[in-house]
Amino acid sequence: MIWTRLAPEPLEPHGGMPMGNVPVKWEVASDERFATVVASGEAQARPELAHAVHVEVTGLQPDRPYWYRFEQGGERSLTGRARTLPTAGADVGSLRFGVAGCQHYEDGLFTAFGHLAREELAFVYHYGDYIYEYRGDMLRPGRGQGGLYVPVRRHEGQLIYSLDDYRRRYAQYKSDPDLQRAHAAHPFFMTFDDHEVDNNWAGDIEQEGAPPEVFRLRRAAAFQAWYEHMPVRRRSFPNGAALQAYRSARIGNLVEMNFLDTRQYRSDQPCGDRWGATCPEIRAQTAAMLGAEQEAWLTRNLQSRDARWNVLAQQVMMMSLDRRRTPDEAPHKMVNLDSWAGYEVPRQRLLSRLKGLDNVVVLTGDEHQNWAGLLHDERERPVAAEFVSTSISSGGDGQDQRSGSDLILRNNPQLKFVNDQRGYLTCEVTPDEWRTNFMVMDRVTTPRGALSKRATATVGGDVRTSPSADAYSPLEAGNPVSRCYRSRTKGAAA
Ligand SMILES: [Fe+2]
């Protein structure tokens, strides 16, 4: 899937485009200089889709890089680089991919995406919060510390509701050169979380209380704009307020990626969705996180065991943590009600399905912190490992440890690592070992922030017996991995 959008004046109405169809030439080559073009064609950029162009290229070889570009009216796009997946049954000896998301434009620069663009990766999994819906403000409420601060840069416009609003917000985000570099360097598997639509939305429920049929109008606008701006296949074409986002991808016999949708089919957050509160409702029998259909689909995929590692690539934290930051903060456990912890019945149902498996890794976003730990079933036995990726920019510079992190680590023995800096994950996977690198930025609120490897978490043969706590000590930087996949046998691919 290759993607572009024509928007010569990104923030102007219709991106500065005339309201008519515009033909766009596209080319795919097997070399960077386009000496050998292996596929080409012409696509219509249509005003109904904000002059976005999605092309599903067929007839390519598996497991090799390709370069692509678009041309219209004498203007040529950046050259994009992508990599096809190995065939489903290919014997794949290693894989290296990235995990990123949560990119509030006002909170920080996207320097981390510039660093991500220079990594050698087969693909990037994006866990959502690609845009934030909030209005542009001269001053924003402080990040948990109270007070006000001046944003690093400012959203154009008000809180977004209409299709034009969402398009303009995507146009502003996509004007960022570091984000453009990351997309040009790697193929992305896109998912969404809440801010692509509205903070903490859940199914048909909007937090400010709009009637469901009214909220669905807004969601339809948000979903259309999401489709228009994301490199996703035709099967994710929006149908009103509905959109098929959950799907899977196989990386040969090494990894099965299950990309989940934890927003569209969930029930409303319990206990009034108040931070830290708990109530009996978190054990509601009827609560839903994935919905019945997606749950059945996931169960089938987990049972197939066609790949060495089974990944749940999803949005909100699955570990249920006691988040008290001081011993007297609350008399009871404090949980994040928007995460799986607010949905104990579907959470336990999923964890019980993982019990017999030794190969499940959960990748998560949303928290704007790095976390690593084990998922326990109801009898406190580990069933999977979870790696939570921080944010590209949301939350601002951060620091190595938030105050209270030491208490959270003490109160949650399944939790092995916490860090509150911005950045992304890289995952290095072989049949014997899963390594997650926590790549962090020294700063994101001023230019030229530096990247370093804060820690590496290693999972051995059985996810239920690792990772061990000592796997999380900071490592020296370096350790380059030069290839994205390494096939164990020479396959059909060049
Ligand atoms: Fe976020």
Side-chain angles (χ1 to χ4, degrees), residues 133 199 205 225 323 348 354 397 418 450 491:
E133 79 281 16
N199 183 43
I205 310 294
R323 291 164 182 262
Q348 286 300 341
L354 305 185
D397 288 335
V418 185

Side-chain angles (χ1 to χ4, degrees), residues 160-434:
I160 54 180
Y161 281 92
S162 72
L163 178 55
D164 283 339
D165 293 343
Y166 283 104
R167 285 172 171 169
R168 191 158 176 249
R169 188 57 55 85
Y170 279 105
Q172 187 178 18
Y173 275 57
K174 279 186 167 283
S175 298
D176 183 280
D178 285 317
L179 180 58
Q180 291 181 0
R181 275 184 207 111
H183 277 295
H186 309 300
F188 275 59
F189 283 111
M190 304 304 310
T191 66
F192 54 75
D193 195 15
D194 54 336
H195 291 289
E196 283 85 350
V197 182
D198 183 50
N199 183 43
N200 281 12
W201 67 281
D204 286 346
I205 310 294
E206 182 240 33
Q207 295 312 303
E208 289 78 34
E213 70 277 15
V214 174
F215 175 58
R216 288 175 68 85
L217 295 175
R218 185 183 185 191
R219 203 170 88 195
F223 277 3
Q224 180 173 339
W226 184 82
Y227 172 79
E228 288 170 352
H229 292 85
M230 294 297 126
V232 290
R233 286 178 188 257
R234 186 84 184 171
R235 71 178 161 203
S236 292
F237 198 89
N239 178 10
L243 188 153
Q244 175 70 43
Y246 68 83
R247 60 203 188 280
S248 65
R250 177 92 49 79
I251 293 85
N253 63 355
L254 187 60
V255 175
E256 170 116 18
M257 300 287 292
N258 299 282
F259 303 101
L260 306 188
D261 175 346
T262 55
R263 285 287 158 195
Q264 205 176 165
Y265 314 105
R266 72 153 89 183
S267 51
D268 197 15
Q269 291 89 350
C271 321
D273 196 11
R274 280 171 296 114
W275 171 254
T278 55
C279 65
E281 229 189 298
I282 70 168
R283 291 178 216 296
Q285 288 299 320
T286 53
M289 180 58 105
L290 301 176
E293 243 176 75
Q294 184 176 193
E295 231 178 272
W297 163 85
L298 179 61
T299 303
R300 283 195 302 276
N301 280 1
L302 288 172
Q303 284 162 351
S304 73
R305 301 300 306 257
D306 292 326
R308 165 66 183 87
W309 301 95
N310 232 319
V311 178
L312 307 190
Q314 51 104 52
Q315 292 77 36
V316 290
M317 181 113 99
M318 214 172 269
M319 279 182 282
S320 177
L321 298 181
D322 183 342
R323 291 164 182 262
R324 279 174 292 181
R325 289 156 299 184
T326 58
D328 50 358
E329 188 168 17
H332 52 74
K333 181 177 169 178
M334 286 178 69
V335 303
N336 177 0
L337 295 169
D338 185 55
S339 76
W340 284 84
Y343 298 76
E344 264 305 318
V345 169
R347 181 177 176 276
Q348 286 300 341
R349 195 163 55 229
L350 177 57
L351 294 177
S352 72
R353 290 201 178 108
L354 305 185
K355 249 184 243 178
L357 306 174
D358 60 2
N359 69 337
V360 177
V361 173
V362 179
L363 299 175
T364 301
D366 178 58
E367 293 281 341
H368 308 170
Q369 289 190 80
N370 288 306
W371 308 83
L374 288 166
L375 285 157
H376 286 166
D377 67 6
E378 74 286 354
R379 293 171 63 186
E380 305 283 306
R381 289 172 310 201
V383 294
E386 182 173 25
F387 302 115
V388 181
S389 174
T390 181
S391 55
I392 289 290
S393 59
S394 304
D397 288 335
Q399 61 264 300
D400 188 74
Q401 298 292 304
R402 277 186 202 177
S403 76
S405 293
D406 50 343
L407 186 69
I408 292 178
L409 278 166
R410 270 205 307 284
N411 282 344
N412 298 280
Q414 77 277 34
L415 183 67
K416 310 295 184 187
F417 172 69
V418 185
N419 164 268
D420 177 30
Q421 286 165 286
R422 308 289 72 80
Y424 56 84
L425 307 182
T426 57
C427 300
E428 296 163 2
V429 188
T430 70
D432 304 321
E433 197 176 68
W434 180 293

Side-chain angles (χ1 to χ4, degrees), residues 123-171:
F123 59 82
V124 176
Y125 159 54
H126 195 292
Y127 46 80
D129 287 0
Y130 192 96
I131 57 165
Y132 282 71
E133 79 281 16
Y134 302 120
R135 69 178 184 199
D137 264 327
M138 297 295 282
L139 290 169
R140 290 189 59 215
R143 306 174 181 102
Q145 320 299 326
L148 296 167
Y149 74 98
V150 179
V152 172
R153 45 189 184 172
R154 217 173 131 191
H155 280 154
E156 289 287 337
Q158 305 180 51
L159 187 61
I160 54 180
Y161 281 92
S162 72
L163 178 55
D164 283 339
D165 293 343
Y166 283 104
R167 285 172 171 169
R168 191 158 176 249
R169 188 57 55 85
Y170 279 105

